[in-house]
Amino acid sequence: MSEIVFILGAGASKDCGAPLMNDFLDTASRLLGTNQVSGKNDDFKRVFRAIASLQSVHSKSQLDLNNIESIFTALEIANALGKLPGFDPEEIPQVIASLKELIVVTLEQTIDFPTRKSHILAPSSYSKFSELLLYLSKDANPSIVPAIVSFNYDIALDVAMHRTGLGPIYGFGPDSNAQYPVPLLKLHGSLNWAVRKSSGTVEPLTVQQYFSKYSYSGFEEMNTCKMPVGSQLQEYYSKFTDVEVNPEPVIVPPAWNKADYHQTLASIWSDTAKHLGEAEYIFIIGYSLPETDAFFRLLYGLGTVGEALLKKVIVYNPDQSGATEDRFRDMLGPGALARFEYKPMVFSEAISDIRKFFPGRK
């Protein structure tokens, strides 16, 4: 039995309408300007005021003010130092909370979920990816045990896996009754993950639980809708459970100091390391390995120490400049480099290419 690890970055979610990190703030600004921010105007304005204040920092050092990851990291450091131009130290945590609200609302307003009458479906690319996962779990020869590691906050893949009977399995929370349960390890959190006020532990609102209480009321044969699961987290737990949760979902900065989130996500990181250590195939899709992500470099380096014989490491990314490929080559050790390939493909093309490696049962 072989194990596959899929690593999905923002380039995978781009196929379903989610903005890339470099486009995220422009998209958020457009939503604010067209009054599509679901009553979160003050949060959006607070974030853009903070970004404007960082201009004075940028004048003395290099800081990418157009990239949401850079802004998130800068605000986390500002909070640790108690210093952000134009803000009192006690205001900085509220700026970070507002940034999380901006991320939640921007994703919820940009991703369209197909509908068929009253049923909410998954975006096409993720439906095809889930069909690949089901094929690998059920029909591939030899049997395949897939696991997904994701850097994305959105729930497009979660919906696809639910619709295909794959769970997903998050590593905590309620067990899934899926016929072919597949781990989905979201390293930076998720729109549908709440935090219990009493313990600080993660309380995931599964897609199955969400659909049991919220539904789409359209009656057209085919349409689209939004899924504001992150915005409805607190409402769900206050209405339907006795669990008290924080107002914002688990949204972890993509770089710098993840130690503050260790208690919350340690089990996810350790599960990821375990799967990497057992993987014979590692497929990396839509992730560009930014220079700032020292966390993933360490996680990959420590996680891939294991007895499994690595057969393939393939990076699928449409970047043809050579920069992304060079970053991966610099990270990989000699054994992995011997098995490494870089393919300039988008998500949908990668799905078809991966299937060729695993023939079905005769």
Side-chain angles (χ1 to χ4, degrees):
M1 183 175 290
S2 302
E3 172 145 349
I4 295 177
V5 172
F6 294 94
I7 299 174
L8 304 184
S13 286
K14 183 178 183 293
D15 278 11
C16 60
L20 294 174
M21 295 300 101
N22 286 328
D23 303 327
F24 209 100
L25 291 169
D26 287 342
T27 302
S29 179
R30 176 179 56 78
L31 292 173
L32 177 62
T34 53
N35 198 29
Q36 298 181 66
V37 298
S38 303
K40 299 293 183 179
N41 298 59
D42 289 344
D43 289 300
F44 275 61
K45 290 176 180 177
R46 185 178 292 111
V47 171
F48 285 115
R49 184 162 66 90
I51 293 172
S53 79
L54 289 170
Q55 293 280 0
S56 60
V57 177
H58 181 61
S59 69
K60 294 184 179 181
S61 65
Q62 289 297 323
L63 177 63
D64 187 353
L65 297 179
N66 297 313
N67 188 297
I68 190 73
E69 294 181 338
S70 296
I71 298 301
F72 205 158
T73 300
L75 292 178
E76 287 281 342
I77 296 174
N79 189 40
L81 298 176
K83 187 175 181 180
L84 180 65
F87 291 83
D88 293 330
E90 59 271 17
E91 293 181 282
I92 303 175
Q94 182 57 55
V95 177
I96 294 172
S98 292
L99 179 62
K100 293 179 181 180
E101 291 284 5
L102 179 147
I103 290 171
V104 170
V105 173
T106 301
L107 288 173
E108 290 177 347
Q109 290 296 325
T110 52
I111 297 179
D112 288 319
F113 289 85
T115 62
R116 182 177 295 117
K117 295 188 176 178
S118 61
H119 296 287
I120 299 175
L121 309 176
S124 174
S125 57
Y126 276 125
S127 289
K128 292 176 182 176
F129 181 64
S130 287
E131 289 168 5
L132 171 65
L133 296 175
L134 182 61
Y135 165 79
L136 294 173
S137 302
K138 182 174 172 244
D139 297 321
N141 184 27
S143 297
I144 301 294
V145 180
I148 301 99
V149 176
S150 176
F151 295 96
N152 300 324
Y153 305 122
D154 65 78
I155 61 163
L157 178 54
D158 310 54
V159 173
M161 293 176 69
H162 168 72
R163 290 299 185 198
T164 320
L166 301 174
I169 305 301
Y170 293 126
F172 41 58
D175 293 332
S176 172
N177 57 2
Q179 186 174 6
Y180 297 98
V182 171
L184 174 57
L185 306 170
K186 305 180 88 169
L187 299 185
H188 295 161
S190 184
L191 296 185
N192 62 322
W193 292 3
V195 175
R196 281 179 176 256
K197 286 185 176 180
S198 60
S199 62
T201 56
V202 177
E203 188 74 22
L205 172 57
T206 67
V207 174
Q208 183 177 2
Q209 290 171 321
Y210 182 82
F211 283 154
S212 72
K213 301 299 182 184
Y214 299 97
S215 61
Y216 174 68
S217 58
F219 296 99
E220 297 181 32
E221 181 60 30
M222 297 297 293
N223 206 340
T224 62
C225 74
K226 310 295 185 184
M227 274 188 68
V229 60
S231 299
Q232 292 174 322
L233 267 184
Q234 199 169 40
E235 175 187 277
Y236 173 89
Y237 283 102
S238 63
K239 274 188 176 182
F240 306 117
T241 77
D242 59 359
V243 176
E244 291 189 27
V245 300
N246 293 339
E248 69 272 357
V250 177
I251 302 290
V252 174
W256 192 60
N257 181 21
K258 288 188 171 71
D260 291 344
Y261 301 89
H262 180 268
Q263 179 184 355
T264 305
L265 295 177
S267 63
I268 299 297
W269 301 339
S270 62
D271 283 353
T272 299
K274 175 179 177 293
H275 286 292
L276 285 171
E278 296 172 352
E280 295 181 12
Y281 299 86
I282 299 176
F283 298 110
I284 303 170
I285 307 172
Y287 175 59
S288 60
L289 190 63
E291 297 287 356
T292 54
D293 203 346
F295 173 80
F296 178 72
R297 294 168 189 264
L298 289 170
L299 180 65
Y300 175 86
L302 295 171
T304 49
V305 175
E307 296 181 359
L309 179 62
L310 192 59
K311 296 178 179 177
K312 287 284 184 184
V313 180
I314 303 181
V315 173
Y316 295 93
N317 194 299
D319 174 33
Q320 299 188 50
S321 70
T324 300
E325 180 178 358
D326 288 345
R327 284 196 293 273
F328 277 99
R329 287 189 178 277
D330 289 342
M331 181 189 75
L332 298 174
L337 278 174
R339 304 292 183 176
F340 174 73
E341 291 183 59
Y342 182 89
K343 299 190 177 186
M345 296 180 178
V346 298
F347 189 27
S348 56
E349 295 171 327
I351 294 169
S352 300
D353 190 70
I354 291 167
R355 182 161 178 156
K356 297 175 185 175
F357 290 100
F358 306 101
R361 297 173 188 168
K362 296 182 179 179

